[in-house]
Amino acid sequence: MQIELRGITKRFGAVAAVSDVDLTIRPGEVLALLGENGAGKSTLMNVLSGLYRPDEGSILLDGKAVQFAGAGDAIRAGIGMVHQHFMLVPVFTVAENVVLGVEPTAALDRLDLDAARRQVRSISARYGLDVDPDATIEGMPVGLQQRVEILKVLFRAAEAIVFDEPTAVLTPQEVTEFFAIVRELRDAGKAIVFITHKLQEVLAVADRISVLRAGRVVGTCDPKTATAAELARLMVGRPVRFAVDRPPLERGAPILEVEDLQVADERGERAVGGVTFSVHAGECVGIAGIHGNGQSELVEALTGMRRAVSGRIRLQGRDITHASARDCHRLGIAHVPEDRLRSGIIGTFDLGENVALNTYYEPRHASGIRLRWGEVYRSTARLIRDYDVRARSPLNPIGQLSGGNQQKLVIGRELSRDVALIVASQPTRGVDVGSIEYIHERFMEARSRGRGLIVVSTELDEILGLADRILVMFRGRVAGEFQDGAADIGNIGLAMAGAGA
Ligand code: ADP
Ligand code: MG
């Protein structure tokens, strides 16, 4: 089935998330939809899959105009979407999930289920999915759950399948397996749309690439001839340097020493189960792993936001195991939090107020209990300049800035203090490629000045680019440790899946 999108525009209030997009999706072809965060990729595909109605434009299937009133219509027309967040019922089996599926219509009766089990088996065999219809979702590796989602759309006879950032949750090995499945589907004549912001993946699997920027298609390329640099320039609108310069390691005295640290999560379960490592001056330690393997709790314990159950944390020889967040901050730990909007900034406050949030007790910004607002705004203006924050004035609410610019201000605020250790959690999530480059350079600058750095990221490329040493976390433990240079992506991937040495 050939799909044509013609002049599609979708607005949210005054903002056009997608503007006048033309796109052809062909059977037997993998079309990559490449774009930065917020470019409009998901919105465009949600229009195609019937979740949103376009404000303007039309959808043609094999030349015939169609209108979808909802996801059900699109599915009946043969268009299936595998979303970023899976929609599976954990306590159900694969077959039960497949029957329930996208439309909440079919009641689970025996006949349906037996037929479904047979069909799951045959679809699974045909496309090399290797999924057992009677397995329960709960406890399944994420890569396998994704294949169940694929089964769900194939079960509904999808001719076109849209994958929204499918590799974000996968280990490198799972990504390879996923690509093999995508190729099977393509070779069977399905039309595939693969949404991503990762250049290398696009070059590996796509037959054609359309680049989206600010809601518009800014280019369509052939992966056989396109280069990563060209694609990045299209995505960002200017040239981008990829590898950040990392001068040779000059490892100084230990800054942070963590000994057999155990940390519990909200439910009181052990999220970090005995982790030991150290960070030295001038060294960047990367913490890799699939999201949810204890990294967040580890960072919270290191920055005083969560109490350690046992073990010890020392900062420059001083025991800070049970120090408060404020004390950690004062003693010289800068924290770039995972969730800016929860613990980094307040959206309705202006830029200066957000800078003051974390520095209000420093002598440069306060005398006694009085805040020196003049100084606060002067240093905010400096941060805006030094960290290339695209904002008109320190008096604008920070919520009006793009995610990348908010993050640059938070990083500027944290790095402008005189700290010993920087703990950055997912520092470039939701940040555009151009700003990522900038943020990485600032980290390397801090490293050169002898600060210790911890960068926690689920983006392996980011870790490989920055870290002198890589720790891979799996189920609350360090499942692998790799020195820079000896960091082999295959072995890191195995450790991420808990299968490391
Ligand atoms: P992408 O998938 O490329 O990251 P999205 O399609 O999610 O981008 O978003 C495109 C733009 O539309 C962004 O500016 C985003 O904030 C906005 N947007 C997306 N969904 C909604 C929504 N439901 N309501 C308001 N704005 C939205
Ligand atoms: Mg998206």
Short mmCIF file of all heavy atoms in Angstrom, two decimals, residues 36-43 46 84 164-165 195, ligand 2:
data_model
loop_
_atom_site.label_atom_id
_atom_site.label_comp_id
_atom_site.label_asym_id
_atom_site.label_seq_id
_atom_site.Cartn_x
_atom_site.Cartn_y
_atom_site.Cartn_z
N GLU A 36 15.07 16.39 15.17
CA GLU A 36 15.37 16.62 16.57
C GLU A 36 14.09 16.53 17.39
O GLU A 36 12.99 16.55 16.85
CB GLU A 36 15.97 18.01 16.74
CG GLU A 36 17.26 18.11 16.00
CD GLU A 36 18.04 19.30 16.51
OE1 GLU A 36 17.48 20.40 16.57
OE2 GLU A 36 19.18 19.08 16.87
N ASN A 37 14.31 16.51 18.68
CA ASN A 37 13.19 16.57 19.59
C ASN A 37 12.30 17.77 19.28
O ASN A 37 12.81 18.87 19.14
CB ASN A 37 13.78 16.75 20.98
CG ASN A 37 13.22 15.75 21.91
OD1 ASN A 37 12.06 15.87 22.27
ND2 ASN A 37 13.99 14.76 22.25
N GLY A 38 11.01 17.52 19.18
CA GLY A 38 10.09 18.63 18.93
C GLY A 38 9.95 19.01 17.47
O GLY A 38 9.26 19.97 17.14
N ALA A 39 10.57 18.26 16.57
CA ALA A 39 10.50 18.60 15.15
C ALA A 39 9.12 18.33 14.55
O ALA A 39 8.80 18.84 13.49
CB ALA A 39 11.56 17.81 14.38
N GLY A 40 8.33 17.49 15.24
CA GLY A 40 6.99 17.21 14.74
C GLY A 40 6.80 15.80 14.21
O GLY A 40 5.76 15.47 13.63
N LYS A 41 7.79 14.94 14.44
CA LYS A 41 7.74 13.58 13.91
C LYS A 41 6.55 12.79 14.46
O LYS A 41 5.77 12.21 13.69
CB LYS A 41 9.05 12.83 14.26
CG LYS A 41 10.31 13.54 13.83
CD LYS A 41 11.56 12.77 14.23
CE LYS A 41 11.78 12.59 15.73
NZ LYS A 41 12.10 13.81 16.49
N SER A 42 6.43 12.77 15.79
CA SER A 42 5.33 12.01 16.38
C SER A 42 3.98 12.58 15.97
O SER A 42 3.04 11.84 15.67
CB SER A 42 5.42 12.01 17.91
OG SER A 42 6.59 11.36 18.33
N THR A 43 3.89 13.90 15.95
CA THR A 43 2.62 14.53 15.59
C THR A 43 2.22 14.12 14.18
O THR A 43 1.07 13.73 13.93
CB THR A 43 2.74 16.06 15.68
OG1 THR A 43 3.14 16.42 17.00
CG2 THR A 43 1.43 16.74 15.34
N ASN A 46 1.12 10.60 14.21
CA ASN A 46 -0.15 10.45 14.90
C ASN A 46 -1.32 10.89 14.02
O ASN A 46 -2.44 10.39 14.16
CB ASN A 46 -0.15 11.24 16.22
CG ASN A 46 0.66 10.54 17.30
OD1 ASN A 46 0.80 9.31 17.27
ND2 ASN A 46 1.19 11.29 18.23
N GLN A 84 6.10 4.79 21.35
CA GLN A 84 7.30 4.85 22.17
C GLN A 84 7.09 4.12 23.49
O GLN A 84 7.96 3.45 24.00
CB GLN A 84 7.63 6.31 22.44
CG GLN A 84 9.04 6.68 22.19
CD GLN A 84 9.18 8.19 22.06
OE1 GLN A 84 8.23 8.92 21.78
NE2 GLN A 84 10.38 8.66 22.26
N ASP A 164 7.71 4.59 16.39
CA ASP A 164 8.09 5.88 16.97
C ASP A 164 9.26 5.69 17.93
O ASP A 164 9.08 5.13 19.01
CB ASP A 164 6.90 6.52 17.68
CG ASP A 164 7.16 8.00 17.99
OD1 ASP A 164 8.30 8.47 17.81
OD2 ASP A 164 6.21 8.68 18.42
N GLU A 165 10.44 6.14 17.54
CA GLU A 165 11.66 6.02 18.34
C GLU A 165 11.80 4.63 18.97
O GLU A 165 11.95 4.50 20.18
CB GLU A 165 11.68 7.09 19.45
CG GLU A 165 11.45 8.49 18.94
CD GLU A 165 12.70 9.37 18.92
OE1 GLU A 165 13.79 8.86 19.21
OE2 GLU A 165 12.56 10.55 18.57
N ILE A 195 10.85 6.32 12.95
CA ILE A 195 11.11 7.66 13.51
C ILE A 195 12.32 7.59 14.42
O ILE A 195 12.40 6.71 15.28
CB ILE A 195 9.90 8.14 14.35
CG1 ILE A 195 8.65 8.25 13.47
CG2 ILE A 195 10.22 9.47 15.03
CD1 ILE A 195 7.44 8.77 14.23
MG MG B 2 8.31 12.10 19.26
#
